[in-house]
């Protein structure tokens, strides 16, 4: 359609003098919006009452969305690299926003399947496309600091709930009062659907791809070639999934995410259960527990930026050795001495969750190091199926163990130890997988020089910013 031709990749090539520092805010506009997925607990109870359903049935909305995030990222990853970030971000905005509106219709008509379809399926596609759309573009704009670049964007996904949770609570109170019900959630979804579309469109109009031959001022590509784990070659997405490196990284991400979800899934109940007196009464109030959950959100968000930026200096492989190795020690300490002091418990959990967030933000740069920039967005999309798997596996492990011990919110610290020890084992598997990562064999490299999808539509002259 001519009216939408501005979305075409050839129309998004940056003009001379365009600042690459405008790209991270464009990515943040997308990630802050889709990060709302972490704030579903705000209206979960209201939906349970509205549909006269169970927590499990309502929780399935979020599970479908996370599964669709991984599947859509994997299925459409190559398309994302081909059409460019603007068309992908526009598609993500349409899916994410319309998902809220379809879900609102489901709430209004009391049809839970429409909520599954809207927020879960359609919105989940928007999640996947929105998550990966800025990644390969950021890496191409920041070949000198890919960890910093992806950390700035993916930080937004971790911090999205910090904006969405208080905003949603305030809107629910305005729409429905202290006992907000389904009608208030319906109005909330309509409001968020419209607001998120507007904010995401700011990113759509701002994003650009670098002109062919562009490189940052004073950037020497030979410094990248000198690093043993960083390739200057390129591997296609089709070939990447045939390499052991891809599947080793898949295991690494799966283990890191599974372990992090082990804390996030039960955070509020866990801190109260760890500190009960002889009468079984927790010394941690509900308000403090809520504050602890908020602190973990800060750790999740800041870990995505701090640790991914640090990986530019340490290297990606050593950084993951830290995530997984120190994570094992932190989980062991949590199981054995975590109940000795509240401050110790909080510090250990903050470390674990910062590594959880850092793992998400560092993995795109790790993929770029191993496979090059050619189809790194598509490769990243395929790798995110590990996240979808962990989103199911992590809660199954933790909830299965805790169900055998009793009911979360009425347990003791010792009841969590089996689950925590399992997470140590999970991290150990990831640690070994990361140790086995080696540079990709030259037989998988593209034999002919590869060009960016926009190269054919621009003059191949180097432009410096």
């Amino acid at each position: 359609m001519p009216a939408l031709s501005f979305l075409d990749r050839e129309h998004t090539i940056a003009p001379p003098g365009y600042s690459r520092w405008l790209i991270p805010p464009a990515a943040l506009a997308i990630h802050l919006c889709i990060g709302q997925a972490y704030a579903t607990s705000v209206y979960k109870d209201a939906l349970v009452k509205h549909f006269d359903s169970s927590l499990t049935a309502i929780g399935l909305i979020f599970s479908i969305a996370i599964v669709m995030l991984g599947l859509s990222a994997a299925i459409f990853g190559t398309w994302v690299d081909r059409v460019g970030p603007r068309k992908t971000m526009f598609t993500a905005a349409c899916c994410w926003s319309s998902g809220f509106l379809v879900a609102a219709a489901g709430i209004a008509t009391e049809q839970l399947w429409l909520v599954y379809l809207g927020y879960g399926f359609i919105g989940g596609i928007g999640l996947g496309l929105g998550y990966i759309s800025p990644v390969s573009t950021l890496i191409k704009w920041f070949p000198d600091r890919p960890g910093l670049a992806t950390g700035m964007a993916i930080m937004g996904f971790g911090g999205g709930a910090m904006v969405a949770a208080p905003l949603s609570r305030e809107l629910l109170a305005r729409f429905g009062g202290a006992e907000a019900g389904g009608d208030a959630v319906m109005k909330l979804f309509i409001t968020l659907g419209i607001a998120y579309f507007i904010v995401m469109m700011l990113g759509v109009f701002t994003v650009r791809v670098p002109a062919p031959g562009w490189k940052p001022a004073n950037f020497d590509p030979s410094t990248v070639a000198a690093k043993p784990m960083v390739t200057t070659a390129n591997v296609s997405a089709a070939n990447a999934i045939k390499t052991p490196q891809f599947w080793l990284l898949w295991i690494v991400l799966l283990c890191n995410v599974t372990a992090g979800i082990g804390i996030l899934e039960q955070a509020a109940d866990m801190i109260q259960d760890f500190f009960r007196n002889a009468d079984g009464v927790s010394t941690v109030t509900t308000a403090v527990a809520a504050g602890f959950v908020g602190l973990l959100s800060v750790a999740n968000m800041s870990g995505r930026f701090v640790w991914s930026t640090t990986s530019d200096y340490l290297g990606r492989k050593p950084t993951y050795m830290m995530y997984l190795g120190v994570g094992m020690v932190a989980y062991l300490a949590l199981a054995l001495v975590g109940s000795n002091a509240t401050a110790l418990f909080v510090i250990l959990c903050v470390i674990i969750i910062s590594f959880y967030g850092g793992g998400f933000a560092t993995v795109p740069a790790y993929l770029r190091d191993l496979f090059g920039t050619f189809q790194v967005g598509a490769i990243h999309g395929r790798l995110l199926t590990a996240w979808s798997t962990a989103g199911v596996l992590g809660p199954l492990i933790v909830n299965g163990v805790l169900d055998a011990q009793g009911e979360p919110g009425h347990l003791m610290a010792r009841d969590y130890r089996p689950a925590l020890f399992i997470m140590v084992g999970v991290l150990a598997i990831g640690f070994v997988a990361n140790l086995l990562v080696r540079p990709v064999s030259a037989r998988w490299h593209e034999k002919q020089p590869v060009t960016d999808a926009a190269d054919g539509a621009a003059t191949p002259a180097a432009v410096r910013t």
Side-chain angles (χ1 to χ4, degrees), residues 17-37:
Y18 192 83
S19 174
R20 62 176 177 166
W21 293 101
L22 293 174
I23 307 302
L28 272 173
I30 302 296
H31 275 245
L32 281 171
C33 292
I34 63 176
Q36 191 275 345

Side-chain angles (χ1 to χ4, degrees), residues 9-10 13 16 18 21 61 65 76 159 176 209 233 296 397-398 414 465:
R9 185 161 189 158
E10 59 266 26
I13 300 171
Y18 192 83
W21 293 101
I61 300 168
F76 296 110
V209 295
L296 291 187
I397 293 173
V398 176
R414 62 177 178 271
T465 298

Side-chain angles (χ1 to χ4, degrees), residues 44-102:
K44 186 183 290 186
D45 289 340
L47 291 180
V48 169
K49 294 176 182 177
H50 179 72
F51 287 105
D52 191 21
S53 185
S54 65
L55 273 173
T56 300
I58 299 301
L60 187 58
I61 300 168
F62 176 74
S63 297
I64 293 172
I66 294 300
V67 169
M68 289 308 302
L69 184 158
L71 290 178
S72 61
I75 293 170
F76 296 110
T78 306
W79 176 79
V80 169
D81 275 338
R82 186 174 69 253
V83 303
R86 180 174 289 177
K87 183 172 287 186
T88 307
M89 290 160 70
F90 177 75
T91 305
C94 292
C95 290
W96 183 236
S97 300
S98 62
F100 276 99
L101 301 181
V102 172

